[in-house]
PDB file of all heavy atoms in Angstrom:
ATOM      1  N   GLY A   1      93.626  67.627 120.089  1.00  0.00           N
ATOM      2  CA  GLY A   1      94.574  66.802 119.377  1.00  0.00           C
ATOM      3  C   GLY A   1      94.761  67.113 117.907  1.00  0.00           C
ATOM      4  O   GLY A   1      95.620  66.543 117.251  1.00  0.00           O
ATOM      5  N   ASN A   2      93.966  68.030 117.375  1.00  0.00           N
ATOM      6  CA  ASN A   2      94.049  68.382 115.954  1.00  0.00           C
ATOM      7  C   ASN A   2      94.697  69.746 115.781  1.00  0.00           C
ATOM      8  O   ASN A   2      94.336  70.690 116.469  1.00  0.00           O
ATOM      9  CB  ASN A   2      92.643  68.401 115.306  1.00  0.00           C
ATOM     10  CG  ASN A   2      91.990  67.054 115.344  1.00  0.00           C
ATOM     11  OD1 ASN A   2      92.610  66.058 115.079  1.00  0.00           O
ATOM     12  ND2 ASN A   2      90.698  67.027 115.714  1.00  0.00           N
ATOM     13  N   PRO A   3      95.654  69.888 114.810  1.00  0.00           N
ATOM     14  CA  PRO A   3      96.268  71.179 114.583  1.00  0.00           C
ATOM     15  C   PRO A   3      95.277  72.183 114.006  1.00  0.00           C
ATOM     16  O   PRO A   3      94.541  71.846 113.053  1.00  0.00           O
ATOM     17  CB  PRO A   3      97.383  70.862 113.577  1.00  0.00           C
ATOM     18  CG  PRO A   3      97.020  69.573 112.970  1.00  0.00           C
ATOM     19  CD  PRO A   3      96.168  68.829 113.935  1.00  0.00           C
ATOM     20  N   ILE A   4      95.229  73.375 114.594  1.00  0.00           N
ATOM     21  CA  ILE A   4      94.270  74.395 114.098  1.00  0.00           C
ATOM     22  C   ILE A   4      94.935  75.704 113.752  1.00  0.00           C
ATOM     23  O   ILE A   4      94.280  76.593 113.183  1.00  0.00           O
ATOM     24  CB  ILE A   4      93.163  74.637 115.151  1.00  0.00           C
ATOM     25  CG1 ILE A   4      93.755  75.165 116.449  1.00  0.00           C
ATOM     26  CG2 ILE A   4      92.313  73.409 115.352  1.00  0.00           C
ATOM     27  CD1 ILE A   4      92.752  75.748 117.396  1.00  0.00           C
ATOM     28  N   GLY A   5      96.202  75.904 114.091  1.00  0.00           N
ATOM     29  CA  GLY A   5      96.839  77.163 113.820  1.00  0.00           C
ATOM     30  C   GLY A   5      98.337  77.099 114.068  1.00  0.00           C
ATOM     31  O   GLY A   5      98.847  76.107 114.550  1.00  0.00           O
ATOM     32  N   MET A   6      99.014  78.226 113.771  1.00  0.00           N
ATOM     33  CA  MET A   6     100.469  78.260 113.890  1.00  0.00           C
ATOM     34  C   MET A   6     100.887  79.613 114.413  1.00  0.00           C
ATOM     35  O   MET A   6     100.309  80.643 114.051  1.00  0.00           O
ATOM     36  CB  MET A   6     101.057  78.009 112.495  1.00  0.00           C
ATOM     37  CG  MET A   6     102.535  78.254 112.409  1.00  0.00           C
ATOM     38  SD  MET A   6     103.144  78.119 110.723  1.00  0.00           S
ATOM     39  CE  MET A   6     102.502  79.655 110.009  1.00  0.00           C
ATOM     40  N   GLN A   7     101.940  79.619 115.241  1.00  0.00           N
ATOM     41  CA  GLN A   7     102.490  80.857 115.727  1.00  0.00           C
ATOM     42  C   GLN A   7     103.960  80.867 115.308  1.00  0.00           C
ATOM     43  O   GLN A   7     104.721  79.981 115.629  1.00  0.00           O
ATOM     44  CB  GLN A   7     102.371  80.950 117.244  1.00  0.00           C
ATOM     45  CG  GLN A   7     102.902  82.242 117.799  1.00  0.00           C
ATOM     46  CD  GLN A   7     102.677  82.314 119.306  1.00  0.00           C
ATOM     47  OE1 GLN A   7     102.047  81.463 119.908  1.00  0.00           O
ATOM     48  NE2 GLN A   7     103.222  83.374 119.909  1.00  0.00           N
ATOM     49  N   LEU A   8     104.364  81.902 114.561  1.00  0.00           N
ATOM     50  CA  LEU A   8     105.726  82.026 114.090  1.00  0.00           C
ATOM     51  C   LEU A   8     106.625  82.647 115.153  1.00  0.00           C
ATOM     52  O   LEU A   8     106.147  83.326 116.042  1.00  0.00           O
ATOM     53  CB  LEU A   8     105.751  82.952 112.861  1.00  0.00           C
ATOM     54  CG  LEU A   8     105.117  82.405 111.595  1.00  0.00           C
ATOM     55  CD1 LEU A   8     104.868  83.543 110.596  1.00  0.00           C
ATOM     56  CD2 LEU A   8     106.008  81.366 110.974  1.00  0.00           C
ATOM     57  N   PRO A   9     107.949  82.409 115.074  1.00  0.00           N
ATOM     58  CA  PRO A   9     108.865  83.129 115.936  1.00  0.00           C
ATOM     59  C   PRO A   9     108.835  84.628 115.568  1.00  0.00           C
ATOM     60  O   PRO A   9     108.316  84.995 114.516  1.00  0.00           O
ATOM     61  CB  PRO A   9     110.241  82.514 115.606  1.00  0.00           C
ATOM     62  CG  PRO A   9     110.088  81.858 114.302  1.00  0.00           C
ATOM     63  CD  PRO A   9     108.647  81.496 114.139  1.00  0.00           C
ATOM     64  N   VAL A  10     109.354  85.474 116.422  1.00  0.00           N
ATOM     65  CA  VAL A  10     109.319  86.933 116.208  1.00  0.00           C
ATOM     66  C   VAL A  10     110.173  87.297 114.980  1.00  0.00           C
ATOM     67  O   VAL A  10     109.751  88.160 114.198  1.00  0.00           O
ATOM     68  CB  VAL A  10     109.817  87.685 117.443  1.00  0.00           C
ATOM     69  CG1 VAL A  10     109.883  89.188 117.201  1.00  0.00           C
ATOM     70  CG2 VAL A  10     108.911  87.392 118.619  1.00  0.00           C
ATOM     71  N   ILE A  11     111.297  86.645 114.804  1.00  0.00           N
ATOM     72  CA  ILE A  11     112.217  86.948 113.685  1.00  0.00           C
ATOM     73  C   ILE A  11     112.522  85.666 112.933  1.00  0.00           C
ATOM     74  O   ILE A  11     112.716  84.609 113.522  1.00  0.00           O
ATOM     75  CB  ILE A  11     113.551  87.521 114.218  1.00  0.00           C
ATOM     76  CG1 ILE A  11     113.326  88.830 114.988  1.00  0.00           C
ATOM     77  CG2 ILE A  11     114.575  87.689 113.113  1.00  0.00           C
ATOM     78  CD1 ILE A  11     113.046  90.032 114.166  1.00  0.00           C
ATOM     79  N   VAL A  12     112.537  85.754 111.586  1.00  0.00           N
ATOM     80  CA  VAL A  12     112.976  84.605 110.769  1.00  0.00           C
ATOM     81  C   VAL A  12     114.104  85.079 109.862  1.00  0.00           C
ATOM     82  O   VAL A  12     114.234  86.269 109.553  1.00  0.00           O
ATOM     83  CB  VAL A  12     111.809  84.050 109.879  1.00  0.00           C
ATOM     84  CG1 VAL A  12     110.747  83.407 110.735  1.00  0.00           C
ATOM     85  CG2 VAL A  12     111.232  85.085 108.975  1.00  0.00           C
ATOM     86  N   GLU A  13     114.963  84.152 109.473  1.00  0.00           N
ATOM     87  CA  GLU A  13     116.071  84.450 108.581  1.00  0.00           C
ATOM     88  C   GLU A  13     115.771  83.905 107.181  1.00  0.00           C
ATOM     89  O   GLU A  13     115.440  82.725 107.038  1.00  0.00           O
ATOM     90  CB  GLU A  13     117.379  83.826 109.103  1.00  0.00           C
ATOM     91  CG  GLU A  13     117.866  84.479 110.352  1.00  0.00           C
ATOM     92  CD  GLU A  13     119.190  83.927 110.834  1.00  0.00           C
ATOM     93  OE1 GLU A  13     119.766  83.069 110.147  1.00  0.00           O
ATOM     94  OE2 GLU A  13     119.636  84.368 111.888  1.00  0.00           O
ATOM     95  N   LEU A  14     115.818  84.774 106.188  1.00  0.00           N
ATOM     96  CA  LEU A  14     115.547  84.386 104.800  1.00  0.00           C
ATOM     97  C   LEU A  14     116.685  84.888 103.905  1.00  0.00           C
ATOM     98  O   LEU A  14     117.397  85.844 104.261  1.00  0.00           O
ATOM     99  CB  LEU A  14     114.203  84.995 104.343  1.00  0.00           C
ATOM    100  CG  LEU A  14     112.970  84.566 105.159  1.00  0.00           C
ATOM    101  CD1 LEU A  14     111.763  85.378 104.753  1.00  0.00           C
ATOM    102  CD2 LEU A  14     112.704  83.096 105.003  1.00  0.00           C
ATOM    103  N   THR A  15     116.832  84.301 102.728  1.00  0.00           N
ATOM    104  CA  THR A  15     117.860  84.655 101.798  1.00  0.00           C
ATOM    105  C   THR A  15     117.305  85.557 100.711  1.00  0.00           C
ATOM    106  O   THR A  15     116.236  85.297 100.178  1.00  0.00           O
ATOM    107  CB  THR A  15     118.471  83.377 101.172  1.00  0.00           C
ATOM    108  OG1 THR A  15     118.941  82.522 102.212  1.00  0.00           O
ATOM    109  CG2 THR A  15     119.639  83.718 100.252  1.00  0.00           C
ATOM    110  N   VAL A  16     118.063  86.593 100.340  1.00  0.00           N
ATOM    111  CA  VAL A  16     117.691  87.514  99.273  1.00  0.00           C
ATOM    112  C   VAL A  16     117.918  86.802  97.955  1.00  0.00           C
ATOM    113  O   VAL A  16     119.040  86.441  97.635  1.00  0.00           O
ATOM    114  CB  VAL A  16     118.485  88.831  99.343  1.00  0.00           C
ATOM    115  CG1 VAL A  16     118.135  89.733  98.175  1.00  0.00           C
ATOM    116  CG2 VAL A  16     118.239  89.540 100.660  1.00  0.00           C
ATOM    117  N   ALA A  17     116.862  86.616  97.193  1.00  0.00           N
ATOM    118  CA  ALA A  17     116.945  85.929  95.869  1.00  0.00           C
ATOM    119  C   ALA A  17     117.178  86.938  94.759  1.00  0.00           C
ATOM    120  O   ALA A  17     117.958  86.686  93.841  1.00  0.00           O
ATOM    121  CB  ALA A  17     115.686  85.120  95.603  1.00  0.00           C
ATOM    122  N   GLU A  18     116.488  88.097  94.828  1.00  0.00           N
ATOM    123  CA  GLU A  18     116.629  89.119  93.787  1.00  0.00           C
ATOM    124  C   GLU A  18     116.579  90.499  94.436  1.00  0.00           C
ATOM    125  O   GLU A  18     115.748  90.759  95.291  1.00  0.00           O
ATOM    126  CB  GLU A  18     115.479  89.053  92.786  1.00  0.00           C
ATOM    127  CG  GLU A  18     115.349  87.775  92.008  1.00  0.00           C
ATOM    128  CD  GLU A  18     114.050  87.776  91.173  1.00  0.00           C
ATOM    129  OE1 GLU A  18     113.535  88.858  90.859  1.00  0.00           O
ATOM    130  OE2 GLU A  18     113.592  86.660  90.876  1.00  0.00           O
ATOM    131  N   THR A  19     117.491  91.341  93.974  1.00  0.00           N
ATOM    132  CA  THR A  19     117.425  92.776  94.369  1.00  0.00           C
ATOM    133  C   THR A  19     118.271  93.558  93.376  1.00  0.00           C
ATOM    134  O   THR A  19     119.134  93.028  92.701  1.00  0.00           O
ATOM    135  CB  THR A  19     117.889  93.013  95.832  1.00  0.00           C
ATOM    136  OG1 THR A  19     117.585  94.343  96.188  1.00  0.00           O
ATOM    137  CG2 THR A  19     119.345  92.726  95.980  1.00  0.00           C
ATOM    138  N   GLU A  20     117.984  94.858  93.305  1.00  0.00           N
ATOM    139  CA  GLU A  20     118.753  95.744  92.433  1.00  0.00           C
ATOM    140  C   GLU A  20     120.043  96.152  93.155  1.00  0.00           C
ATOM    141  O   GLU A  20     120.133  96.123  94.354  1.00  0.00           O
ATOM    142  CB  GLU A  20     117.974  96.983  92.104  1.00  0.00           C
ATOM    143  CG  GLU A  20     116.626  96.709  91.465  1.00  0.00           C
ATOM    144  CD  GLU A  20     115.742  97.959  91.448  1.00  0.00           C
ATOM    145  OE1 GLU A  20     116.181  99.013  91.946  1.00  0.00           O
ATOM    146  OE2 GLU A  20     114.652  97.849  90.951  1.00  0.00           O
ATOM    147  N   MET A  21     120.994  96.570  92.369  1.00  0.00           N
ATOM    148  CA  MET A  21     122.214  97.155  92.939  1.00  0.00           C
ATOM    149  C   MET A  21     121.917  98.549  93.428  1.00  0.00           C
ATOM    150  O   MET A  21     121.275  99.323  92.710  1.00  0.00           O
ATOM    151  CB  MET A  21     123.354  97.181  91.912  1.00  0.00           C
ATOM    152  CG  MET A  21     123.839  95.793  91.497  1.00  0.00           C
ATOM    153  SD  MET A  21     124.610  94.868  92.816  1.00  0.00           S
ATOM    154  CE  MET A  21     126.021  95.860  93.175  1.00  0.00           C
ATOM    155  N   GLY A  22     122.345  98.915  94.612  1.00  0.00           N
ATOM    156  CA  GLY A  22     122.166 100.267  95.118  1.00  0.00           C
ATOM    157  C   GLY A  22     123.239 101.151  94.549  1.00  0.00           C
ATOM    158  O   GLY A  22     124.355 100.711  94.306  1.00  0.00           O
ATOM    159  N   SER A  23     122.916 102.407  94.353  1.00  0.00           N
ATOM    160  CA  SER A  23     123.937 103.333  93.849  1.00  0.00           C
ATOM    161  C   SER A  23     124.044 104.516  94.851  1.00  0.00           C
ATOM    162  O   SER A  23     123.109 104.813  95.581  1.00  0.00           O
ATOM    163  CB  SER A  23     123.598 103.855  92.472  1.00  0.00           C
ATOM    164  OG  SER A  23     122.364 104.560  92.484  1.00  0.00           O
ATOM    165  N   ARG A  24     125.192 105.140  94.844  1.00  0.00           N
ATOM    166  CA  ARG A  24     125.461 106.221  95.823  1.00  0.00           C
ATOM    167  C   ARG A  24     124.454 107.343  95.732  1.00  0.00           C
ATOM    168  O   ARG A  24     124.055 107.924  96.739  1.00  0.00           O
ATOM    169  CB  ARG A  24     126.871 106.790  95.622  1.00  0.00           C
ATOM    170  CG  ARG A  24     127.937 105.895  96.107  1.00  0.00           C
ATOM    171  CD  ARG A  24     129.275 106.598  96.024  1.00  0.00           C
ATOM    172  NE  ARG A  24     130.326 105.796  96.552  1.00  0.00           N
ATOM    173  CZ  ARG A  24     130.789 105.853  97.760  1.00  0.00           C
ATOM    174  NH1 ARG A  24     130.232 106.677  98.619  1.00  0.00           N
ATOM    175  NH2 ARG A  24     131.753 105.083  98.170  1.00  0.00           N
ATOM    176  N   GLY A  25     124.021 107.701  94.586  1.00  0.00           N
ATOM    177  CA  GLY A  25     123.093 108.843  94.402  1.00  0.00           C
ATOM    178  C   GLY A  25     121.736 108.597  95.034  1.00  0.00           C
ATOM    179  O   GLY A  25     121.015 109.554  95.336  1.00  0.00           O
ATOM    180  N   ASP A  26     121.387 107.337  95.297  1.00  0.00           N
ATOM    181  CA  ASP A  26     120.096 107.045  95.893  1.00  0.00           C
ATOM    182  C   ASP A  26     119.913 107.644  97.294  1.00  0.00           C
ATOM    183  O   ASP A  26     118.836 108.030  97.633  1.00  0.00           O
ATOM    184  CB  ASP A  26     119.879 105.520  95.998  1.00  0.00           C
ATOM    185  CG  ASP A  26     119.676 104.904  94.604  1.00  0.00           C
ATOM    186  OD1 ASP A  26     119.385 105.663  93.666  1.00  0.00           O
ATOM    187  OD2 ASP A  26     119.808 103.678  94.483  1.00  0.00           O
ATOM    188  N   THR A  27     120.996 107.708  98.062  1.00  0.00           N
ATOM    189  CA  THR A  27     120.865 108.218  99.429  1.00  0.00           C
ATOM    190  C   THR A  27     120.617 109.697  99.454  1.00  0.00           C
ATOM    191  O   THR A  27     119.935 110.193 100.343  1.00  0.00           O
ATOM    192  CB  THR A  27     122.105 107.870 100.277  1.00  0.00           C
ATOM    193  OG1 THR A  27     123.259 108.435  99.627  1.00  0.00           O
ATOM    194  CG2 THR A  27     122.275 106.393 100.452  1.00  0.00           C
ATOM    195  N   ALA A  28     121.124 110.444  98.476  1.00  0.00           N
ATOM    196  CA  ALA A  28     120.949 111.905  98.456  1.00  0.00           C
ATOM    197  C   ALA A  28     119.509 112.256  98.190  1.00  0.00           C
ATOM    198  O   ALA A  28     119.006 113.280  98.678  1.00  0.00           O
ATOM    199  CB  ALA A  28     121.835 112.497  97.372  1.00  0.00           C
ATOM    200  N   SER A  29     118.780 111.422  97.475  1.00  0.00           N
ATOM    201  CA  SER A  29     117.390 111.720  97.149  1.00  0.00           C
ATOM    202  C   SER A  29     116.446 111.307  98.309  1.00  0.00           C
ATOM    203  O   SER A  29     115.240 111.522  98.222  1.00  0.00           O
ATOM    204  CB  SER A  29     116.956 111.014  95.877  1.00  0.00           C
ATOM    205  OG  SER A  29     116.982 109.587  96.064  1.00  0.00           O
ATOM    206  N   GLY A  30     116.999 110.709  99.357  1.00  0.00           N
ATOM    207  CA  GLY A  30     116.150 110.310 100.480  1.00  0.00           C
ATOM    208  C   GLY A  30     115.697 108.878 100.423  1.00  0.00           C
ATOM    209  O   GLY A  30     115.114 108.367 101.350  1.00  0.00           O
ATOM    210  N   SER A  31     115.908 108.197  99.304  1.00  0.00           N
ATOM    211  CA  SER A  31     115.498 106.801  99.166  1.00  0.00           C
ATOM    212  C   SER A  31     116.646 105.930  99.670  1.00  0.00           C
ATOM    213  O   SER A  31     117.641 105.761  98.987  1.00  0.00           O
ATOM    214  CB  SER A  31     115.179 106.501  97.703  1.00  0.00           C
ATOM    215  OG  SER A  31     114.935 105.145  97.553  1.00  0.00           O
ATOM    216  N   VAL A  32     116.520 105.378 100.855  1.00  0.00           N
ATOM    217  CA  VAL A  32     117.613 104.580 101.391  1.00  0.00           C
ATOM    218  C   VAL A  32     117.310 103.104 101.432  1.00  0.00           C
ATOM    219  O   VAL A  32     118.035 102.322 101.966  1.00  0.00           O
ATOM    220  CB  VAL A  32     117.964 105.078 102.835  1.00  0.00           C
ATOM    221  CG1 VAL A  32     118.529 106.469 102.799  1.00  0.00           C
ATOM    222  CG2 VAL A  32     116.767 104.984 103.745  1.00  0.00           C
ATOM    223  N   THR A  33     116.194 102.694 100.831  1.00  0.00           N
ATOM    224  CA  THR A  33     115.858 101.277 100.736  1.00  0.00           C
ATOM    225  C   THR A  33     115.574 100.918  99.270  1.00  0.00           C
ATOM    226  O   THR A  33     115.365 101.773  98.431  1.00  0.00           O
ATOM    227  CB  THR A  33     114.618 100.908 101.589  1.00  0.00           C
ATOM    228  OG1 THR A  33     113.500 101.622 101.102  1.00  0.00           O
ATOM    229  CG2 THR A  33     114.834 101.235 103.034  1.00  0.00           C
ATOM    230  N   LYS A  34     115.591  99.629  99.038  1.00  0.00           N
ATOM    231  CA  LYS A  34     115.278  99.108  97.698  1.00  0.00           C
ATOM    232  C   LYS A  34     114.433  97.836  97.851  1.00  0.00           C
ATOM    233  O   LYS A  34     114.405  97.224  98.916  1.00  0.00           O
ATOM    234  CB  LYS A  34     116.568  98.803  96.927  1.00  0.00           C
ATOM    235  CG  LYS A  34     117.440  97.783  97.618  1.00  0.00           C
ATOM    236  CD  LYS A  34     118.754  97.567  96.874  1.00  0.00           C
ATOM    237  CE  LYS A  34     119.637  96.574  97.611  1.00  0.00           C
ATOM    238  NZ  LYS A  34     120.889  96.365  96.920  1.00  0.00           N
ATOM    239  N   ALA A  35     113.753  97.475  96.802  1.00  0.00           N
ATOM    240  CA  ALA A  35     112.929  96.263  96.825  1.00  0.00           C
ATOM    241  C   ALA A  35     113.806  95.016  96.736  1.00  0.00           C
ATOM    242  O   ALA A  35     114.813  95.014  96.037  1.00  0.00           O
ATOM    243  CB  ALA A  35     111.939  96.294  95.669  1.00  0.00           C
ATOM    244  N   ALA A  36     113.385  93.984  97.464  1.00  0.00           N
ATOM    245  CA  ALA A  36     114.096  92.709  97.408  1.00  0.00           C
ATOM    246  C   ALA A  36     113.058  91.580  97.452  1.00  0.00           C
ATOM    247  O   ALA A  36     112.090  91.649  98.190  1.00  0.00           O
ATOM    248  CB  ALA A  36     115.056  92.568  98.574  1.00  0.00           C
ATOM    249  N   LYS A  37     113.315  90.564  96.641  1.00  0.00           N
ATOM    250  CA  LYS A  37     112.479  89.378  96.661  1.00  0.00           C
ATOM    251  C   LYS A  37     113.257  88.284  97.355  1.00  0.00           C
ATOM    252  O   LYS A  37     114.445  88.010  96.987  1.00  0.00           O
ATOM    253  CB  LYS A  37     112.089  88.941  95.245  1.00  0.00           C
ATOM    254  CG  LYS A  37     111.076  87.827  95.193  1.00  0.00           C
ATOM    255  CD  LYS A  37     110.593  87.588  93.814  1.00  0.00           C
ATOM    256  CE  LYS A  37     109.463  86.607  93.838  1.00  0.00           C
ATOM    257  NZ  LYS A  37     108.873  86.430  92.501  1.00  0.00           N
ATOM    258  N   LEU A  38     112.679  87.677  98.366  1.00  0.00           N
ATOM    259  CA  LEU A  38     113.341  86.665  99.172  1.00  0.00           C
ATOM    260  C   LEU A  38     113.116  85.267  98.567  1.00  0.00           C
ATOM    261  O   LEU A  38     112.253  85.099  97.731  1.00  0.00           O
ATOM    262  CB  LEU A  38     112.902  86.747 100.640  1.00  0.00           C
ATOM    263  CG  LEU A  38     113.052  88.155 101.243  1.00  0.00           C
ATOM    264  CD1 LEU A  38     112.568  88.157 102.695  1.00  0.00           C
ATOM    265  CD2 LEU A  38     114.495  88.661 101.150  1.00  0.00           C
ATOM    266  N   ASP A  39     113.874  84.280  99.043  1.00  0.00           N
ATOM    267  CA  ASP A  39     113.801  82.950  98.488  1.00  0.00           C
ATOM    268  C   ASP A  39     112.430  82.281  98.657  1.00  0.00           C
ATOM    269  O   ASP A  39     112.090  81.386  97.918  1.00  0.00           O
ATOM    270  CB  ASP A  39     114.884  82.034  99.053  1.00  0.00           C
ATOM    271  CG  ASP A  39     114.856  81.938 100.564  1.00  0.00           C
ATOM    272  OD1 ASP A  39     114.193  82.777 101.208  1.00  0.00           O
ATOM    273  OD2 ASP A  39     115.535  81.049 101.120  1.00  0.00           O
TER     274      ASP A  39
END
């Protein structure tokens, strides 16, 4: 009867709070991702 743990769903939806603008030249260097901080 007492809660002891939690199981999350496989996928969650979150909102991007902060991220840099991507530029076209980034893909040529092989870097196709950027850092993002979620809400």
